[in-house]
């Protein structure tokens, strides 16, 4: 009797195992199809950027040659990467890099300091400030952009780097992310340092900041993507090439009648590289800390 | 984000008063000040100004005639403008399409990658690539894919259907233009949602699955009675984020279609920017921005309610 039952379960297990095996196969096939859909446009971009003939690029689009380049050349990159010249994107790329570095750098300092004081400070209005910061998160950038343009143009700030950096340094989301990260660290850290007579800034600077690598990485990636990909704000506040970022330059180029696809593709590839590097450097910490705090609130 | 207010750390609340000396207070104020000042100047002030500007006849370029307070006239004018309603209808259509395409794909991918498939970390990184790609670059890529009549998408469709599907003018046909924007937007942004779903799946305790298995639940029952309830907050989060993002649709439209053809891709933000900077009617544009804020606020409040109902 018990033998019978046992063999029945064994058979069931066996059947389930083979079912799992074929399920794995189907799942792997699905993932490969999705990967193809997601990656092939990017791959096509890369391949096209290596072709020198802009008419050929469009002609190739209709066939599998869109994914193949017989004699790859870096001439598009050489042309586009220049600092001067008609289609030189090096300058815009440099502008974007300056804006990216300054925004993220200042943002890490300003937001982490605020998050730290909100988590561990002794200010009386702390809880109130925290709830205000959280409430501000609801305001979308798009709905303050009109008055902001007036404000910065009255202040004579149009066409500068500052106007593309300073307004986006402080952010409710990143203050909150830092607050959350600091608040979950053990109180003994703070108390022990305080006993030793360390000042608040000292405790932040030498103890909490070095421990907050995951938060710093997450905020760097998020702020980096945001700063790098800004489009609406820079078209409203830049009129000349002086501080224009690469996103606006590529889009302007797109509006022209005869598009130099080869150069556009090369410029696009160049635009992907810095943010890709940032992502690859920090992704280890990014997923766990960003998502953990975002979903669980 | 679901920015619900968490409890302050317990220690921080009950701190002896004697330690609250002056030096420390100044330091704390000094560390908080940059953020507070910046947020006030660049977020709070323009936000309040947008309400004020919306009720004036403020032009973009200062004129000798003084700016007048005109009450709700701007709002009434917008509500009477057919193009505004078209833009609202278009972003609603966009949302209606992008949610199943983008969130559905993200959910399916996350479920697959949650299994122990080979190279799943490689896939995860790969699927996130479009999300870090600038929307302008995405427009360059998809602008070529959408070429009419011989672009890659049309070629693939023709090949798969053995020539039965006629080439589609993706961006030039009013019936297709918004759907084309949906395709490229979903492709770009779905990596974020996928990662959010993955985290949600990881947050469901294994014990629940084991218990369900012992109770004799099959794979589908486990999915329906363990996975889905466990993902409720994630679903709410993803839906809300996607909806808010959808209502802010701008860059794709500005780069690829400028709202055309025949206003079929006109969006609220694109309408706002055009009113403010091409027609130079800043008061009118500010009224649109106030309406946009109200829409986003309602969606965010709805999210709070939903989460509370689900008792998260």
């Amino acid at each position: 009797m018990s033998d019978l039952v046992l063999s029945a379960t064994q058979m069931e297990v066996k059947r389930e195992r083979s079912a799992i095996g074929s399920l794995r196969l189907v799942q792997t096939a699905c993932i490969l199809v999705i990967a193809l859909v997601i990656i092939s446009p990017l791959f096509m971009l890369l391949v096209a950027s290596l072709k020198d003939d802009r008419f050929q690029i469009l002609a190739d689009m209709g066939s599998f040659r869109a994914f193949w380049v017989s004699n790859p050349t870096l001439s598009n990159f050489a042309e586009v990467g220049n600092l001067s010249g008609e289609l030189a994107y090096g300058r815009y790329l440099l502008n974007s890099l300056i804006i990216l570095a300054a925004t993220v750098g200042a943002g890490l300092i300003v937001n982490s300091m605020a998050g730290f004081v909100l988590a561990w400070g002794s200010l009386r209005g702390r809880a109130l400030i925290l709830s205000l910061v959280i409430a501000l998160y609801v305001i979308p950038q798009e709905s303050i952009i009109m008055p902001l343009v007036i404000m910065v143009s009255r202040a004579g700030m149009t066409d500068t780097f500052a106007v593309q950096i300073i307004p986006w340094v402080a952010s409710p989301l990143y203050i909150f992310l830092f607050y959350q990260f600091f608040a979950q660290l053990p109180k003994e850290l703070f108390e022990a340092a305080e006993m030793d007579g360390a000042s608040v800034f000292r405790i932040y600077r030498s103890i909490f900041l070095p421990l907050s690598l995951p938060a710093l990485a997450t905020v760097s990636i998020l702020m980096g993507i945001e700063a790098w990909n800004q489009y609406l704000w820079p078209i409203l506040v830049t009129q000349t090439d002086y501080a224009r970022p690469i996103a606006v330059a590529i889009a302007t180029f797109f509006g022209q009648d005869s598009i130099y696809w080869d150069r556009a593709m090369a410029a696009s590839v160049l635009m992907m590289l810095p943010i890709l590097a940032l992502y690859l450097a920090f992704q280890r910490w990014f997923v766990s800390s960003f998502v953990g705090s975002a979903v669980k609130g | 984000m679901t920015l619900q207010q968490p409890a302050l750390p317990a220690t921080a609340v009950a701190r002896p008063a004697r330690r609250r000396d002056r030096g420390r207070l100044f330091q704390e104020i000094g560390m908080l000040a940059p953020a507070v000042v910046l947020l006030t100047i660049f977020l709070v002030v323009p936000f309040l100004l947008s309400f004020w500007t919306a009720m004036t006849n403020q032009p973009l370029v200062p004129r000798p005639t003084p700016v007048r307070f005109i009450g709700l006239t701007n709002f009434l004018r917008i509500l009477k403008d057919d193009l505004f309603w078209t833009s609202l209808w278009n972003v609603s259509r966009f949302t209606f399409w992008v949610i199943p395409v983008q969130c559905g794909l993200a959910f399916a991918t996350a479920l697959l990658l949650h299994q122990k498939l080979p190279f799943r970390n490689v896939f995860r990184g790969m699927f996130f690539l479009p999300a870090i790609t600038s929307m302008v670059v995405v427009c360059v890529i998809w602008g070529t894919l959408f070429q009419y009549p011989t672009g890659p998408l049309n070629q693939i469709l023709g090949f798969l259907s053995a020539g039965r599907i006629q080439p589609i003018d993706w961006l030039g046909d009013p019936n297709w233009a918004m759907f084309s924007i949906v395709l490229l937007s979903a492709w770009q942004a779905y990596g974020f949602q996928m990662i959010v779903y993955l985290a949600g799946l990881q947050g469901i305790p294994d014990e629940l699955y084991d218990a369900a298995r012992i109770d004799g639940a099959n794979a589908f029952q486990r999915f329906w009675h363990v996975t889905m309830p466990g993902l409720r907050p994630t679903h709410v989060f993803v839906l809300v984020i996607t909806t808010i993002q959808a209502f802010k649709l701008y860059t794709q439209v500005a780069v690829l279609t400028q709202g055309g053809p025949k206003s079929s891709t006109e969006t609220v933000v694109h309408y706002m920017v055009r009113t403010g900077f091409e027609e130079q009617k800043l008061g009118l544009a500010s009224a649109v921005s106030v309406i946009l804020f109200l829409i986003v606020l309602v969606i965010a409040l709805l999210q709070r309610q939903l989460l509370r109902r689900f008792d998260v």
Side-chain angles (χ1 to χ4, degrees):
Chain A
M1 183 71 185
S2 69
D3 273 13
L4 245 168
V5 173
L6 199 69
S7 69
T9 26
Q10 270 172 345
M11 262 169 68
E12 210 161 88
V13 166
K14 223 179 241 171
R15 204 179 300 142
E16 203 163 282
R17 273 212 190 117
S18 76
I20 287 175
S22 55
L23 189 65
R24 273 293 118 83
L25 218 62
V26 174
Q27 286 171 337
T28 311
C30 288
I31 279 296
L32 287 175
V33 170
I34 296 173
L36 196 70
V37 172
I38 297 298
I39 286 306
S40 50
L42 289 173
F43 186 68
M44 185 209 74
L45 171 76
L46 188 67
V47 167
S49 73
L50 298 171
K51 295 176 183 171
D52 199 23
D53 186 344
R54 67 184 167 117
F55 299 109
Q56 196 57 45
I57 287 176
L58 280 191
D60 284 355
M61 279 300 159
S63 67
F64 288 106
R65 271 181 310 219
F67 299 100
W68 178 248
V69 50
S70 41
N71 45 346
T73 164
L74 290 176
S75 66
N76 292 322
F77 289 95
E79 205 154 342
V80 159
N82 269 335
L83 286 180
S84 57
E86 199 199 344
L87 289 169
Y89 282 78
R91 157 107 203 216
Y92 305 116
L93 205 59
L94 211 57
N95 289 347
S96 279
L97 281 172
I98 293 169
I99 294 164
L100 171 80
T103 314
V104 174
L108 289 180
I109 297 168
V110 167
N111 295 316
S112 71
M113 281 199 310
F116 180 75
V117 172
L118 290 176
W120 293 101
S122 58
L123 278 174
R124 214 168 281 159
R126 218 155 39 98
L128 180 72
I129 296 176
L130 184 65
S131 6
L132 281 176
V133 165
I134 292 172
L136 288 180
Y137 180 70
V138 185
I139 305 173
Q141 191 205 48
E142 286 80 0
S143 74
I144 58 164
I145 221 157
M146 293 284 146
L148 206 51
V149 169
I150 297 295
M151 282 169 63
V152 298
S153 66
R154 296 271 157 87
M157 281 172 77
T158 37
D159 255 332
T160 58
F161 284 100
V163 76
Q164 295 177 77
I165 297 164
I166 298 169
W168 314 119
V169 165
S171 151
L173 173 63
Y174 305 134
I175 294 175
F176 182 76
L177 283 179
F178 275 118
Y179 159 82
Q180 242 191 350
F181 186 85
F182 287 134
Q184 50 131 37
L185 292 175
K187 64 177 178 185
E188 285 78 15
L189 272 179
F190 194 95
E191 283 173 349
E194 206 182 23
M195 290 288 194
D196 291 346
S199 69
V200 181
F201 182 75
R202 185 70 204 278
I203 298 175
Y204 154 79
R205 173 72 198 78
S206 329
I207 299 174
F208 280 79
L209 207 56
L211 286 175
S212 66
L213 212 58
L216 290 169
T218 306
V219 173
S220 299
I221 291 186
L222 289 176
M223 275 193 104
I225 295 175
E226 211 179 342
W228 190 253
N229 297 342
Q230 280 269 11
Y231 176 72
L232 176 55
W233 179 245
I235 52 169
L236 296 180
V237 295
T238 63
Q239 269 95 47
T240 67
D241 291 344
Y242 171 68
R244 178 162 286 181
I246 183 156
V248 177
I250 291 180
T252 313
F253 182 70
F254 213 70
Q256 292 159 358
D257 287 335
S258 58
I259 301 175
Y260 285 81
W261 286 106
D262 48 352
R263 320 281 164 71
M265 299 288 181
S268 299
V269 170
L270 282 183
M271 186 172 177
M272 283 192 70
L273 293 181
I275 209 72
L276 188 64
L278 186 75
Y279 173 65
L280 289 179
F282 289 142
Q283 64 161 346
R284 198 145 66 84
W285 296 289
F286 169 68
V287 176
S288 54
S289 68
F290 160 62
V291 172
S293 56
V295 180
K296 283 159 205 154
Chain B
M1 302 298 114
T2 52
L3 295 189
Q4 287 165 331
Q5 183 154 358
L8 290 166
T11 52
V13 178
R15 198 178 304 283
R18 68 188 154 78
R19 289 194 200 152
R20 223 182 269 149
D21 57 275
R22 203 169 249 188
R24 171 160 181 192
L25 206 65
F26 278 134
Q27 271 199 354
E28 288 186 16
I29 293 174
M31 287 169 72
L32 200 53
V36 170
V37 170
L38 286 172
L39 283 181
T40 308
I41 298 177
F42 295 107
L43 192 58
V44 178
V45 169
F47 179 62
L48 297 176
L49 266 178
S50 71
F51 282 89
W52 166 250
T53 317
M55 291 192 270
T56 64
N57 64 348
Q58 169 114 41
L60 182 63
V61 188
R63 274 196 302 238
T65 51
V67 174
R68 275 188 307 118
F69 179 82
I70 53 172
L72 296 178
T73 315
N74 285 330
F75 289 95
L76 293 176
R77 271 179 64 186
I78 285 163
L79 296 181
K80 269 186 226 150
D81 187 353
D82 285 345
L83 196 54
F84 171 73
W85 289 106
T86 306
S87 72
L88 206 57
W89 168 241
N90 285 339
V91 287
S92 308
R93 270 197 309 148
F94 178 76
T95 314
F96 179 80
W97 278 110
V98 92
I99 282 180
V101 175
Q102 180 173 332
C103 303
L105 187 62
F107 186 39
T109 315
L111 284 177
L112 285 170
L113 288 186
H114 193 56
Q115 315 290 319
K116 287 184 185 62
L117 292 181
F119 304 112
R120 62 175 178 169
N121 284 332
V122 177
F123 283 119
R124 204 172 68 175
M126 207 188 248
F127 294 163
F128 197 68
L129 280 182
I132 59 168
T133 306
S134 165
M135 192 46 90
V136 172
V137 171
V138 172
C139 290
V140 170
I141 299 174
W142 284 79
T144 57
L145 291 179
F146 282 141
Q147 289 285 315
Y148 176 76
T150 55
L153 268 186
N154 282 327
Q155 298 286 343
I156 291 169
L157 280 183
F159 178 74
L160 290 180
S161 70
R164 269 194 290 273
I165 296 181
Q166 293 303 307
I168 296 165
D169 191 358
W170 295 96
L171 294 170
D173 182 338
N175 295 320
W176 279 100
M178 191 48 109
F179 185 71
S180 309
I181 302 278
V182 167
L183 282 185
L184 79 92
S185 308
W187 177 83
Q188 196 263 349
Y190 108 111
F192 257 114
Q193 270 100 331
M194 179 199 71
I195 286 193
V196 173
Y197 270 125
L198 270 173
L201 287 170
Q202 276 155 19
I204 302 173
D206 287 336
E207 294 84 54
L208 288 181
Y209 287 105
D210 294 339
R213 215 169 266 133
I214 288 168
D215 287 348
N218 62 30
F220 177 76
Q221 286 168 327
R222 288 199 297 269
F223 171 76
W224 195 248
H225 294 291
V226 179
T227 310
M228 288 308 269
L231 284 180
R232 254 181 218 152
T234 316
H235 283 308
V236 173
F237 174 75
V238 166
L239 287 187
V240 168
I241 284 292
T242 315
T243 311
I244 290 178
Q245 290 297 336
F247 271 83
K248 297 195 276 191
L249 176 65
Y250 173 77
T251 307
Q252 299 91 306
V253 166
V255 176
L256 287 176
T257 62
Q258 289 88 44
K262 291 185 185 155
S263 304
S264 62
T265 57
E266 185 71 44
T267 72
V268 176
V269 176
H270 193 253
Y271 174 82
M272 176 185 87
V273 173
R274 270 190 22 187
T275 316
F277 294 95
E278 281 169 34
E279 298 173 28
Q280 311 216 334
K281 292 169 187 156
L282 213 71
L284 216 54
S286 291
V288 180
S289 74
V290 169
I291 296 174
L292 181 72
F293 166 71
L294 293 177
I295 293 173
V296 170
L297 184 68
V298 167
I299 300 170
L301 289 177
L302 220 62
Q303 175 196 22
R304 280 191 83 110
Q305 287 301 315
L306 277 176
L307 282 179
R308 203 166 289 159
R309 176 174 306 173
F310 291 146
D311 197 29
V312 186

